[in-house]
Amino acid sequence: MLAVLGFAQLCMAQTTFPVNGVADPRSGTYAFTHATIVQDANKTLNDATLLIQDGKIVSVGENVTIPKDAVVVDCSGKFIYPSFIDAYSSYGMPVPQRSAAGFNFRAPAQLTSNQKGAYGWNQALRTDIEGIRVFSADDAKAKPLREAGFGAVVTHHPDGIARGTGIVASLANDVDNKVVLKERASAHFSFSKGTSSQSYPGSLMGSIALLRQTFLDADWYKNNPKAEGVNLSLQFFNEQRSLPQVFEAGDKWQDLRADKIGDEFGVQYIIKGGGNEYQRLNEIKATNATFILPLNFPAAMDVDDPAEMRFVGIDQLKTWELAPTNPGAFEKAGIPFCLTTDELGSASEFLPNLRKAIEYGLSEKAAMEALTKNPATLFGVYDQIGSLEAGKWANFMITSAPVFSDKATIHSNWIQGMKHEIKESNYFDVKGQYTLTMMGDKTSTLKLNLKDGGVASFIDKDTINGKYSYDGKMVKLSYTKGRGQNATDITLSGVATTPQQWNGQGLDEKGRYFIWKAAFDSGLEAKSDSAREKKPMELGTVTYPFLPFGNETMPKQETMLIKNATVWTSDKQGILPATDVLVKNGKIAAIGKNLNESGARIIDGTGKHLSAGIIDEHSHIAAASINEGGQSVTSEVRIKDNIDPEDINIYRQLSGGVTTSHILHGSANTIGGQTQLIKLRWGANADGMMFEGSDGFIKFALGENVKRSSSSLGNNRFPDSRMGVEQVLNDAFNRATDYQKDWNTYNNLDSKKKALTPAPRRDLELDALVEIMNSKRFITCHSYVQSEIVGMMRIAEKYGFVLNTFTHILEGYKVADKMKAHGANASTFSDWWTYKMEVVDAIPQNAAIMTKVGVNTAINSDDAEMARRLNQEAAKSVKYGGLSETEALNLVTINPAKMLHVDSKVGSIAVGKDADLVLWSDNPLSIYAKSLYTIVDGTVFYDREKDTQMRERLKDEKQRLVQKMAAAKRSPAAGGARGMQRPTPRFEYMNTCTDHYHSHGLLVIDAEEVIEND
């Protein structure tokens, strides 16, 4: 031990810093004795000693030899824990500064990076930020973290999509170079572009596309270092790929999106979650990621105003109740995790919220590991911190009781051997009841109660209040005997032979000395939470999705026999009266009369109508972002990257018979993003909603939205005219043609030449355009004016492909013959008109005229509310265009299925097709028709009778939660750590995603872009 001490002293003596004054090389040696020492989550020592010198732990154990020069600190009755480690912080980093000019809607877009130097094209990629270069210790900000028990943090500069490197720093009050424990500990990422004022990316899917392209570019740059010259953004990106990769996701769905990017490029991210992961725990576990969890539990709402509470969703109430279960759910699921103070209003909220998480199921062992060993191991500093072992930094805290107990007080936090006082004043906690014996002329015995704040009660026949003080050795007691003129001050002073055995001298009312002693009887000793008797906690259940009308378990496929219905086949068989349909294994197994199937669920269709599920060819529901308008061409972005399975419109549209939706990118640019076909499987995750085996589509747009007619005052993004739109298309496909030639040339090289020839740069934008030219991806084009419609077809023919679908197409009746000759489909509105100049020639006969000419035509919604009554929209073509009822229903069933290339699977009732069905109460084209059952793949996802029952249950559940919040108001300890807050009513936007707002009397600038981005 002496050798170790000597070596440590030698090491500490070496310094490159000059001394201004007289050198003081004294080293601190401290021995903390008689403590309960928690070395780590698995090992606790009783009546043990911790010996430290020069900031490092020398020895810890029950039989430690204490050097003569050591300062001995008696820790009898105290606990010593490793200081906590915050796994996600921005401590010591500069605050990201946004532009002083602020956001100006009419200002020209910033299309290129403002960053000077040999950097990449997008300033949201801040790979050049090295945490060690911008870090500066800040004692004022470290203080609240130390008071919460933290001794070190993993910290980085939180700005941008790629954020550079982070460091591990201690929270000691010392110069910067000594507190840095690891200078390159991590690389950081997020979906937020931060302070970047560049227009791209302007959406979640744009951020994802930028990250994916950056991975590809970094690999290309590494293999072709001379192809582009110096690109420091990519160079740093590659250098940082060997570090632990931390992704700030902040929500359960964002967690999964981040993990998908990692899976694509062989990276296992450490994911900083959002606290709602318990709502999708199976998917979270499947990421195989380690998580960093915040403890930002929502505060209870003030529920006094019924008018306000009407607009609070039950999911908000359930989140308040269940959020504290998140860490415990991770532990039970076996998902590794760390904890952070990030997202808390103050670090002082951390311990109360952590104790609440323990109350809601997290074990003390798991909490300890999440705050010590897990982050230390994850970021490669477990050899320095994270447990109390010889050779590690002396980072520890001294507490009055087990640290996770409500009664625990942190007295001091020692970091790198430096003491930081927290609540040192009550270090000697002697509260409790004593027997006090005073021995003078006669011996008297009374009870002595010591309380917080130095308050003492002397109890004989009466209770007399007095005071006490105790500094660990010297004791002083005082009280006043008698009243008025007879009042006399009695003072007792003495020493503690042990913390609970005191004796000394006193002076009585006659000025005579006497001897006294006090012996401890009992006190309020804090017990660990695991030792407390816990009452069963009443908690609501997690539903899928975590919204009203969610299910506790996902609905299952059933064998169903729908009997005696009027079957609208949308097929050559037409309408079949009094017919049975058998559904088995998710498929239509049989159609006919008097069918039987043992064990099948029988649904009586007598007097009811059965149709194929409605298909909405043009929708914008169920997506976290719709428009990436930062550039004229954004074919690299994908709706599938940001599917939102918890959009309530999924359920609402199921209630209107919709089973399949084509989710389109918006119309903010000429070539928009890749679309996604989904089935409305309510409760499934994003992957579970994808229409398996469907072709890829992409959104194009023409006209006013693209050239930004309504925002031209600040528009500097090309194009600015209809002529420019055509040139964007020509240029894009010219570039794609050259790109394809380069790859064909490279792929046709023999193996020897290929080994010597750099591969072309992979470009996600051009990949999608090449797919179009090779008929592997298909266009749905936002269109209005006949000249542009014809022009778009000519461009398609020039580059050798067919324009698959014109959507909106309100002047389609003018060029229907040309569309038929080209081979295009049409997806239109039933009767919308005059909501902008492009549509003044719209007529309600449009769909019928195109149908009669021979163009495959569909009616779409482009509107979350209208999609609930697409059957009625189709019926308008019977009135205005003279279509038959079967032709009208085909507009929303088999016709959109054909234009989406899925008519072999859905769109009609035929044996072998997917069992996507709707049982209507009436003729499906009637305004009185209601969906009684909406079935997807043989699974009932909407049941009108069950819906009615669920509404009643939801009322009861909401009332239970409101009453629970009211109780939390009466007892704030039962509510959120931040106290009561006003309810946050949820008012929904009109989620219509096209540009027809003037018909509602609204003044909207660039309506489609603004509204589609919410």
Side-chain angles (χ1 to χ4, degrees), residues 412-485:
S412 58
N413 196 347
W414 292 68
I415 304 173
Q416 293 181 291
M418 296 176 60
K419 180 181 180 181
H420 298 84
E421 292 188 3
I422 310 299
K423 292 185 177 178
E424 194 72 7
S425 59
N426 61 353
Y427 179 84
F428 302 103
D429 188 359
V430 292
K431 297 190 299 293
Q433 182 172 285
Y434 295 75
T435 297
L436 174 63
T437 303
M438 295 182 288
M439 297 164 284
D441 289 345
K442 61 179 182 179
T443 299
S444 60
T445 300
L446 62 160
K447 291 295 180 182
L448 170 66
N449 278 345
L450 304 184
K451 305 174 185 177
D452 281 327
V455 175
S457 296
F458 297 81
I459 306 169
D460 191 1
K461 294 180 181 179
D462 299 317
T463 298
I464 303 173
N465 290 327
K467 299 178 181 180
Y468 77 93
S469 64
Y470 175 59
D471 62 6
K473 195 67 177 175
M474 305 303 297
V475 184
K476 187 174 181 180
L477 304 167
S478 63
Y479 63 95
T480 300
K481 188 176 182 180
R483 297 180 180 179
Q485 294 181 345

Side-chain angles (χ1 to χ4, degrees), residues 535-554:
K535 296 180 180 179
M537 191 175 295
E538 181 189 3
L539 295 173
T541 56
V542 173
T543 59
Y544 303 95
F546 196 75
L547 286 175
F549 307 103
N551 298 290
E552 293 185 20
T553 58
M554 279 291 291

Side-chain angles (χ1 to χ4, degrees), residues 57-226:
I57 297 172
V58 175
S59 183
V60 57
E62 296 170 350
N63 296 294
V64 174
T65 302
I66 300 174
K68 293 181 180 180
D69 63 340
V71 176
V72 177
V73 180
D74 186 354
C75 293
S76 298
K78 302 295 182 289
F79 294 76
I80 297 179
Y81 287 85
S83 296
F84 298 152
I85 303 166
D86 191 332
Y88 195 89
S89 175
S90 58
Y91 163 75
M93 297 294 174
V95 177
Q97 298 296 318
R98 298 188 179 275
S99 169
F103 178 74
N104 183 352
F105 184 80
R106 290 177 174 266
Q110 181 195 324
L111 301 174
T112 58
S113 174
N114 284 337
Q115 188 174 17
K116 305 301 180 183
Y119 295 100
W121 72 277
N122 197 286
Q123 69 185 70
L125 302 175
R126 302 303 311 276
T127 57
D128 56 297
I129 296 178
E130 294 186 68
I132 188 64
R133 294 184 182 274
V134 296
F135 172 78
S136 178
D138 187 333
D139 193 58
K141 292 181 179 178
K143 187 172 184 289
L145 289 167
R146 292 194 297 254
E147 290 174 348
F150 289 90
V153 295
V154 181
T155 181
H156 74 292
H157 186 57
D159 186 25
I161 290 172
R163 299 174 164 186
T165 61
I167 69 171
V168 180
S170 86
L171 297 171
N173 182 13
D174 206 342
V175 293
D176 293 341
N177 67 308
K178 291 186 179 180
V179 301
V180 176
L181 305 181
K182 191 169 185 178
E183 63 182 86
R184 286 172 63 83
S186 51
H188 290 262
F189 301 87
S190 79
F191 288 125
S192 170
K193 68 180 184 181
T195 60
S196 171
S197 51
Q198 199 168 342
S199 56
Y200 186 93
S203 65
L204 171 61
M205 57 185 168
S207 296
I208 293 172
L210 178 59
L211 267 173
R212 294 179 65 235
Q213 186 65 64
T214 301
F215 271 105
L216 294 171
D217 288 349
D219 286 337
W220 175 79
Y221 182 78
K222 181 180 179 180
N223 296 325
N224 303 277
K226 297 181 180 179

Side-chain angles (χ1 to χ4, degrees), residues 312-316 318 543-551 648 651 682 950 954 986:
V312 175
I314 195 167
D315 54 315
Q316 294 171 278
K318 285 167 68 75
T543 59
Y544 303 95
F546 196 75
L547 286 175
F549 307 103
N551 298 290
I648 191 62
Y651 186 74
W682 180 240
M950 290 175 74
L954 286 168
R986 179 184 294 152

